[in-house]
Amino acid sequence: MKYLKDVSGKILGRIMDTNNNSQAGYDNTGKYKGKYDKGNDTTYDNTGKNIGKGNQLSNLILDD
Protein backbone atom coordinates (compact mmCIF):
# COMPACT_ATOMS: atom_id res chain seq x y z
CA MET A 1 0.00 0.00 0.00
CA LYS A 2 1.23 3.49 -0.88
CA TYR A 3 0.07 6.54 1.08
CA LEU A 4 -0.26 10.00 -0.47
CA LYS A 5 0.65 12.66 2.09
CA ASP A 6 0.87 16.43 2.20
CA VAL A 7 4.00 18.26 3.37
CA SER A 8 2.95 18.01 7.02
CA GLY A 9 2.50 14.24 6.78
CA LYS A 10 -1.31 14.23 6.72
CA ILE A 11 -2.62 11.27 4.70
CA LEU A 12 -4.57 12.45 1.66
CA GLY A 13 -5.25 9.03 0.19
CA ARG A 14 -3.88 5.59 -0.54
CA ILE A 15 -3.18 3.34 -3.50
CA MET A 16 -3.46 -0.41 -3.07
CA ASP A 17 -2.37 -3.24 -5.34
CA THR A 18 -5.20 -5.62 -6.14
CA ASN A 19 -4.99 -9.28 -7.06
CA ASN A 20 -5.92 -8.77 -10.72
CA ASN A 21 -2.95 -6.78 -12.06
CA SER A 22 -4.41 -3.40 -11.16
CA GLN A 23 -4.32 -0.76 -8.44
CA ALA A 24 -7.21 0.90 -6.61
CA GLY A 25 -7.18 4.46 -5.29
CA TYR A 26 -9.00 5.79 -2.20
CA ASP A 27 -9.24 9.25 -0.67
CA ASN A 28 -8.50 10.01 3.00
CA THR A 29 -12.04 8.99 4.02
CA GLY A 30 -11.74 5.60 2.33
CA LYS A 31 -13.96 6.53 -0.62
CA TYR A 32 -13.07 4.59 -3.77
CA LYS A 33 -11.82 7.02 -6.43
CA GLY A 34 -10.84 4.71 -9.28
CA LYS A 35 -8.48 2.07 -10.60
CA TYR A 36 -5.41 1.71 -12.77
CA ASP A 37 -5.29 -1.34 -15.03
CA LYS A 38 -1.64 -2.28 -15.55
CA GLY A 39 -2.51 -4.65 -18.40
CA ASN A 40 -3.78 -1.94 -20.72
CA ASP A 41 -2.01 0.99 -18.98
CA THR A 42 -5.29 2.87 -18.43
CA THR A 43 -6.86 4.69 -15.47
CA TYR A 44 -10.63 4.62 -14.78
CA ASP A 45 -12.64 6.71 -12.32
CA ASN A 46 -15.08 5.33 -9.75
CA THR A 47 -17.84 5.11 -12.39
CA GLY A 48 -15.67 3.16 -14.82
CA LYS A 49 -15.07 6.13 -17.12
CA ASN A 50 -11.75 6.01 -18.97
CA ILE A 51 -9.60 8.85 -17.61
CA GLY A 52 -6.57 8.25 -19.81
CA LYS A 53 -3.38 6.33 -20.42
CA GLY A 54 -0.88 5.76 -17.65
CA ASN A 55 -1.33 5.66 -13.90
CA GLN A 56 -3.34 8.76 -12.94
CA LEU A 57 -4.65 7.55 -9.59
CA SER A 58 -2.83 10.30 -7.69
CA ASN A 59 -4.66 12.91 -9.78
CA LEU A 60 -8.04 11.25 -9.11
CA ILE A 61 -7.40 11.09 -5.38
CA LEU A 62 -6.12 14.66 -5.04
CA ASP A 63 -8.65 16.24 -7.42
CA ASP A 64 -11.49 16.98 -5.01
Side-chain angles (χ1 to χ4, degrees), residues 3 9-10 16-17 23 26 33 35 40-41 46 52-53:
Y3 290 97
K10 177 184 172 189
M16 299 173 47
D17 288 325
Q23 294 178 318
Y26 301 87
K33 300 298 283 186
K35 75 171 186 172
N40 64 13
D41 192 31
N46 62 343
K53 286 294 190 186

Side-chain angles (χ1 to χ4, degrees), residues 11-62:
I11 295 174
L12 303 174
R14 67 185 193 278
I15 297 174
M16 299 173 47
D17 288 325
T18 64
N19 60 359
N20 57 354
N21 200 34
S22 65
Q23 294 178 318
Y26 301 87
D27 68 11
N28 64 337
T29 66
K31 179 182 175 188
Y32 174 72
K33 300 298 283 186
K35 75 171 186 172
Y36 168 63
D37 185 327
K38 295 177 186 178
N40 64 13
D41 192 31
T42 304
T43 301
Y44 303 92
D45 70 8
N46 62 343
T47 67
K49 178 182 173 189
N50 182 331
I51 298 302
K53 286 294 190 186
N55 188 340
Q56 300 182 39
L57 284 176
S58 296
N59 294 338
L60 281 177
I61 293 167
L62 300 176

